Amino acid sequence: MKIGFIGMGIMGKPMAINLVKAGYDVMVSNRNMEKCQPAVEAGAKAGSYTELAENCDVIITMLPNGPQVKEVILGEGAVAAHMKPGSVLIDMSSINPVDSKEIAAALAAYGVEMLDAPVSGGEPKAIDGTLSVMAGGKQEVFDKYKEMLGAMASSVVRCGEVGAGNTTKLANQIIVACNIQALAEAMTLAQKAGVDPQLVFEAIRGGLAGSTVMNAKAPMMIAGNDKPGFKIDLHIKDLNNALDCAHAVGSPVPMTASVQEVMQWMHSHEGGQKDHSAIAQYYEYLTGIQIGR
């Protein structure tokens, strides 16, 4: 199986490297080809989008949003036009499920199948290969590529037909964002009340309030570490997609709208490239105190 991987960003690069480590024949590409170098050093080959499409059995994309996926796959010099009938696109980007369905329909005209398979876990889990993959597409296509996806993830679950993967990812991003905001509020309350946020974290992490989000993000908030594992601007993009999808299907999402406004404030105050845990800095702005410091 020859795998083409397009998108060597924070997530795509380690994911492609893990495929190489698992023994797969991988060819990588990126708009800025210099970003392919770490994967090449790990054993991948590099090539143009067209070279990947013509030579690979499966193309994986890990791009910022739906418009970028559409441009690469269906735009001028489209990858789709060069893919072999019977090959498969696995889009691991986090995009609007409506876009996933449109791309799948266009690919069908070329005899190409598609899975939408976004991931959760951020850069740390992309590096150690323990991402969670939520996939949408035909059962037989999913079954064929599940083992390969497992080289990048500890959990690979089919959620339904094309579009279901990204719908599940939107649900995931709502839960993560609301957890981060609640955590920032709680740690700010502790600090304002004169209780050490580190001790609060240690006391409650094993109870019902404990979560993967808390374990990952509380230490960052307390240390003032806003180095991005997942950038606020990317979470804004995901929540915009969640709001669009919710409005389309008539689902109420007031909490999502609230945390989106906090993240948008951060974007407007030079925080868009920071880790999403940096929304704690919004509360620092309101209160004049810094969590844990």
Side-chain angles (χ1 to χ4, degrees), residues 118-133:
V119 302
S120 178
E123 183 183 19
K125 290 185 178 293
I127 291 171
D128 63 22
T130 58
L131 292 165
S132 293
V133 175

Side-chain angles (χ1 to χ4, degrees), residues 94-114:
S94 295
I95 69 176
N96 193 313
V98 173
D99 289 336
S100 296
K101 292 176 182 179
E102 289 178 359
I103 295 167
L107 287 171
Y110 294 98
V112 175
E113 294 285 355
M114 177 178 169

